[in-house]
Amino acid sequence: MITSPSLGRHAQRALRCQCRHNAAQKRGLAAPASGSFQYQTGDSKGIKFASRDLAGPTTTLGLVSRAGTRYQPAPGLAEGLERFAFRTTDRRSTLRITREIELLGAEQFAEHTRESLVIGAKFLRDDLPYFVELLAEVATQTQYPGYLFHEEIEPLMEISKKKYLADTTAMAVNSAHALAYHRGLGVPVAPNSNVPLNKYADSESIEAFSREAYSKANLAIVANGAEHGELSKWVNEFFGNADVPQGTAFKSEQSKYRGGEERIAHGSAKNSVVIAFPGSSSFTGGFYKPEIAVLSTLLGGQTSIKWSPGFSLLSKATAAFPTANIHTRSAIYSDAGLLYVLITGSANDVAGAAGEAAKAIRSVAEGKIDKELLSKAKALAKFKELEHGQNIKAGIELTGAGLVQQGKPYQLDESAKAIDSVTEAQVKKTAKELLDYKASVASVGDLHVLPFAEELGLKV
């Protein structure tokens, strides 16, 4: 008979062995997640595609077109094309497409950014052939009837416009882009003019835009969670046999930073101020600056650790303004970027926080950077870059845009290594150069309280 103390010792020993066994199993399962984010690329009859075979039972597939607002010839065309996605084609009705996706337990999505239109779906891995075929059908056989535009698409675009005009944050960010780059990257993501949408956008103009947007020169197919050979096989079969025109690549002038100030009165209780400077292009672009990512986390704003105010300069500088939310972002594009500080909240706190933000930017430009602080900023910038790589939809957009515009995918492993090599001297030099440019300052809200750029000590 086993005594109680002996039983206890045996149980503890068994538990320790089991824990070691479980830990070994967990490490084994976690190993693939710590691997590469590299994409494999290919070309099938002029259609560029890329994939990475992430472990798991699901796949995310996207068609990425160089058809964002930067490239639209008239307002509203990018959004209109987005809203026509997954509607009636020559072979399937909208109802049939919806029912088939539901029966497969899948999800579809469509969205546009400043540079890209992304349409795609998330589904079980075995359903890859169906969704490659569906995307080929959407790109080449979608119907654009006038009644559908007037009855469904146009009202949705009007709602989008009203939603935008009620959002002070979106207005401030778009205003800063317009100040920085005027046309091209400065075109707002959502139509915001009082000019009626149907002056520029209708079913005929959207259909004409689609013929170029869905041409070989302007699109790429990207998959996460698909074996490369399988994707190549189905892209070759469905896109190779589809009537995809060669087309002409959309052109846009090289982005040139300008700067300035815009103040927009708004009755919302949520006031917004954006202070922006020229930033970095994407990794696949020709103007990539990894030090901008480090500078973004160094300025920071919101803490990444619960119960801690955070280490960043702006989280400390704005602690006295409790209703103010402050974030620093690095918006990356194919040939330029925008580094901006976004401050939202009550008018008085936003005004106070904006003053502290301007002081923090000047202190970095003057070289007042603590080495330990810089080390933390680099670590956080690298983490955010790699975390971004795990965001499947973000990876699809960046990789597709890289393939279409520069002929190479966005390899996050490489950009993370570039961030790792950033030096203190590079960050100080970049920060100093920022103040040589005019700032782009956008204020939306109570203009009686919100400060002018000159009052913040910024050159516009």
Side-chain angles (χ1 to χ4, degrees):
M1 183 176 177
I2 302 175
T3 63
S4 295
S6 177
L7 181 62
R9 286 195 297 274
H10 281 291
Q12 290 173 5
R13 191 179 301 117
L15 183 60
R16 284 196 296 269
C17 290
Q18 185 180 358
C19 288
R20 284 197 294 270
H21 178 67
N22 289 344
Q25 282 187 323
K26 288 177 182 176
R27 284 195 293 272
L29 288 171
S34 61
S36 173
F37 289 128
Q38 299 286 344
Y39 280 90
Q40 291 179 273
T41 62
D43 189 292
S44 177
K45 301 178 182 178
I47 302 291
K48 295 174 281 291
F49 62 91
S51 68
R52 55 182 181 185
D53 192 4
L54 300 177
T58 63
T59 298
T60 302
L61 177 72
L63 183 156
V64 183
S65 169
R66 177 170 30 198
T69 52
R70 176 178 185 172
Y71 300 103
Q72 63 184 8
L77 297 186
E79 183 171 355
L81 187 56
E82 172 202 323
R83 296 192 181 280
F84 265 107
F86 299 108
R87 296 195 180 255
T88 300
T89 69
D90 293 344
R91 292 186 58 214
R92 293 176 172 93
S93 67
T94 304
L95 179 61
R96 179 181 168 184
I97 292 171
T98 301
R99 290 288 173 82
E100 287 177 347
I101 292 174
E102 288 175 343
L103 286 169
L104 294 173
E107 300 176 11
Q108 51 93 337
F109 57 85
E111 58 190 34
H112 72 281
T113 63
R114 294 185 189 280
E115 293 194 308
S116 300
L117 168 70
V118 186
I119 62 172
K122 296 186 286 184
F123 49 87
L124 295 175
R125 183 182 282 254
D126 291 342
D127 297 327
L128 178 65
Y130 170 82
F131 284 97
V132 176
E133 181 183 21
L134 180 60
L135 287 187
E137 200 173 301
V138 169
T140 60
Q141 298 181 35
T142 295
Q143 297 178 2
Y144 300 88
Y147 75 87
L148 181 61
F149 175 78
H150 293 300
E151 292 177 10
E152 297 187 32
I153 306 297
E154 189 175 16
L156 288 173
M157 293 173 69
E158 286 290 348
I159 291 171
S160 175
K161 176 179 172 180
K162 290 177 181 178
K163 182 179 177 181
Y164 167 80
L165 293 174
D167 186 346
T168 59
T169 298
M171 291 179 70
V173 171
N174 276 288
S175 173
H177 277 81
L179 290 167
Y181 293 112
H182 292 189
R183 300 184 185 276
L185 289 176
V187 176
V189 176
N192 63 348
S193 170
N194 288 325
V195 176
L197 284 171
N198 56 19
K199 178 178 180 180
Y200 297 106
D202 54 30
S203 59
E204 289 82 7
S205 60
I206 293 172
E207 183 174 10
F209 183 55
S210 75
R211 286 195 287 270
E212 289 299 328
Y214 294 140
S215 67
K216 294 178 181 179
N218 291 308
L219 71 81
I221 308 299
V222 185
N224 278 274
E227 198 275 319
H228 190 69
E230 282 291 298
L231 179 65
S232 176
K233 172 185 174 181
W234 299 118
V235 168
N236 183 63
E237 178 170 337
F238 294 119
F239 278 88
N241 295 328
D243 185 21
V244 182
Q246 181 59 45
T248 304
F250 285 129
K251 297 294 183 183
S252 178
E253 292 183 5
Q254 167 66 45
S255 298
K256 179 182 177 182
Y257 181 84
R258 292 173 173 83
E261 181 176 18
E262 183 175 24
R263 294 166 62 79
I264 304 170
H266 201 285
S268 172
K270 181 182 177 182
N271 295 261
S272 298
V273 168
V274 170
I275 302 172
F277 297 92
S280 167
S281 73
S282 67
F283 183 75
T284 55
F287 303 90
Y288 178 64
K289 298 178 182 178
E291 55 269 26
I292 291 291
V294 177
L295 187 56
S296 173
T297 54
L298 180 65
L299 291 170
Q302 293 295 308
T303 180
S304 58
I305 303 172
K306 194 174 184 180
W307 310 126
S308 167
F311 68 85
S312 68
L313 296 175
L314 294 182
S315 65
K316 296 174 182 177
T318 59
F321 307 100
T323 70
N325 290 308
I326 186 163
H327 303 268
T328 304
R329 296 282 184 269
S330 175
I332 55 174
Y333 305 106
S334 60
D335 63 349
L338 199 66
L339 177 68
Y340 65 89
V341 177
L342 168 64
I343 310 164
T344 60
S346 68
N348 287 318
D349 278 4
V350 167
E356 294 300 323
K359 289 178 185 177
I361 294 168
R362 285 195 295 271
S363 72
V364 176
E366 291 166 3
K368 299 175 183 177
I369 305 175
D370 180 79
K371 286 188 177 180
E372 183 181 347
L373 199 63
L374 182 63
S375 178
K376 291 178 181 178
K378 280 180 63 177
L380 183 57
K382 182 179 179 181
F383 167 77
K384 285 188 172 183
E385 184 72 8
L386 291 173
E387 184 191 36
H388 200 54
Q390 290 179 305
N391 183 322
I392 291 175
K393 285 179 71 174
I396 283 178
E397 181 191 342
L398 289 170
T399 297
L403 281 174
V404 171
Q405 295 169 8
Q406 285 87 25
K408 57 183 179 180
Y410 191 98
Q411 303 290 23
L412 286 137
D413 284 1
E414 296 173 19
S415 58
K417 287 177 184 176
I419 291 172
D420 230 2
S421 65
V422 171
T423 64
E424 182 180 351
Q426 284 178 298
V427 175
K428 289 180 177 179
K429 180 175 180 289
T430 299
K432 186 177 181 181
E433 289 173 349
L434 290 184
L435 292 184
D436 292 337
Y437 292 93
K438 291 181 179 180
S440 297
V441 182
S443 303
V444 183
D446 185 353
L447 300 185
H448 178 68
V449 178
L450 298 180
F452 284 86
E454 185 180 9
E455 295 169 352
L456 300 174
L458 298 171
K459 180 176 69 175
V460 292

